[in-house]
Amino acid sequence: MEERSAEAATRKSGLPKLPASTIWMINFGFLGVQMAFTLQSSQMSRIFQTIGADPNKLGWFFILPPLAGLIVQPIIGYYSDRTWAPKLGGRRLPYLALGTLIAIIVMCLLPNSGSFGFGYASITALLFGAVTVALLDVSSNIAMQPFKMMVGDMVNDDQKSYAYGIQSFLSNGGAVIAAIFPFLFTALGIANTAKKGVVPQSVVISFYVGAAILLLTSLLTIFKVHEYDPATYAKYHGISEEANTTGGNWFALLKKAPKVFWTVTLVQFFCWVAFQYLWTYSAGAIAHNVWHTTNAASTGYQAAGNWYGVLAAVQSIAAVVWSYVLAKVPNDHHKLGYALSLGLGAVGFLSVFFIHSQSVLIMSFTLVGMAWAAMNTYPLTMITNALSGEHMGTYLGLFNGSICLPQIVASLASFALFPLLGNAQENMFLLAGIIMAIGALSVGLIKETYKA
């Protein structure tokens, strides 16, 4: 995998340099997809606790999204590697269109989980919420994966850091917008509380607006991007046209994966465990530490939910700024930038446990945002630089396991860890900080490689 054959080297003409406008269009729909993910991650705990979920059982609901991603993304990668449907957009774009359509429908259903008369804490309401969350994650994954793959398909190694930097910028920009929606709509006079078991309109409308933006941004990418046909793709990547139509067995590909695939996966494990606990316990931890309440129906708890949205926006703004800094880091210092960013994120996680001030939490989430920037920049750059064009989509889909599996492990472990740590949601941030620090140290195991 790390060395190309002489025949391939002869065939390869090299990927051309793309105009900046093309790279922006390849990534633009990521803005809307990330809004869907951000609304899901920042409001999911709030929604489920509002409709009556037990905080000690939140892990069950947070298992569903990564489980969906673990299964769906390799499948999308595998089949999109073999797809060429010019009337539907090409290789990756048909899957973007499908995922976007389903995501829009589900985004209109999820925040209404408590509005269909199922009853507070009823199994029906919780199951409805769980199913819609799973569907939202499946569809968002279907829509998101094509953007990662198109960068690998169409962007040369010299422009790849720039392309993933643009993707990170749009991703975090979308996250900022989505995260502040509930806070903004509340300020505009939309109700931020509702009767027991019903999600406030400030959250419901946030999902509706997010769905509309997802539609517009995805359509822009679909109509503006023209993917390479199979012959051109093969020429640019130095492979045969048949290379992506045969083979592709997941286990065989994993056996041939470059070493960097596995060392980055190890780092990812620690990072995503930490972030899974942030998404699961932030609203409750902030409500208890700052508003001194654990009652999900209280005004204080809903205010904490809005403030977590603001903090999620702070995290994303910090990630945008820090991504720009990381983009200036030379290739031979990638590991230093990666480890430093994760270390700063560990400090941010740990500080949430100790801070009882609404405003000081801004600093905590700024540090967390620096880790988030590195997690969205370095892993994909390191992996795609080490891969050839053969089975690119399948490899990136399999690499998504380094994101999904840690979240599943974290959620399952939470059933034992949460009561062990006193059933206090803020205590989980101590654990998350330690885990993130281990991730920072494990960066030292990575040895970057580049395809010939």
Side-chain angles (χ1 to χ4, degrees), residues 23-25 27-32 34-35 38 160-178 313 315-327 369 372-377:
I23 293 176
W24 275 87
M25 285 301 102
N27 289 301
F28 198 71
F30 211 89
L31 177 78
Q34 190 57 44
M35 290 183 71
T38 298
K160 201 166 286 178
S161 292
Y162 173 75
Y164 281 123
I166 294 301
Q167 195 169 102
S168 180
F169 173 80
L170 291 169
S171 170
N172 287 296
V176 171
I177 297 168
Q315 172 192 318
S316 296
I317 292 170
V320 169
V321 175
W322 196 243
S323 293
Y324 180 79
V325 174
L326 295 178
W372 184 245
M375 290 164 57
N376 283 280
T377 300

Side-chain angles (χ1 to χ4, degrees), residues 85-253:
K87 291 184 179 180
L88 296 177
R91 164 179 276 165
R92 317 294 185 186
L93 290 174
Y95 296 91
L96 168 59
L98 175 63
T100 297
L101 177 62
I102 300 173
I104 288 169
I105 295 170
V106 181
M107 286 179 75
C108 295
L109 292 175
L110 173 59
N112 289 296
S113 298
S115 302
F116 297 115
F118 297 134
Y120 178 73
S122 71
I123 293 177
T124 305
L126 295 173
L127 278 176
F128 181 86
V131 170
T132 51
V133 162
L135 287 174
L136 178 56
D137 205 79
V138 166
S139 56
S140 297
N141 273 289
I142 293 172
M144 178 181 69
Q145 196 69 352
F147 297 107
K148 297 178 181 179
M149 295 174 185
M150 284 190 291
V151 172
D153 289 347
M154 301 176 67
V155 180
N156 65 38
D157 288 354
D158 291 336
Q159 291 184 294
K160 201 166 286 178
S161 292
Y162 173 75
Y164 281 123
I166 294 301
Q167 195 169 102
S168 180
F169 173 80
L170 291 169
S171 170
N172 287 296
V176 171
I177 297 168
I180 64 172
F181 271 165
F183 185 87
L184 175 63
F185 291 140
T186 300
L188 293 175
I190 296 172
N192 192 49
T193 56
K195 66 180 182 180
K196 188 174 183 179
V198 176
V199 177
Q201 280 298 297
S202 59
V203 177
V204 175
I205 292 175
S206 296
F207 274 82
Y208 291 168
V209 175
I213 295 174
L214 170 61
L215 174 62
L216 292 174
T217 57
S218 294
L219 285 176
L220 192 59
T221 291
I222 290 168
F223 287 115
K224 291 291 185 179
V225 173
H226 303 286
E227 297 186 72
Y228 297 138
D229 61 75
T232 304
Y233 180 90
K235 180 180 71 172
Y236 285 155
H237 286 274
I239 60 176
S240 67
E241 287 189 51
E242 296 75 28
N244 280 321
T245 60
T246 59
N249 177 276
W250 294 0
F251 295 104
L253 290 177

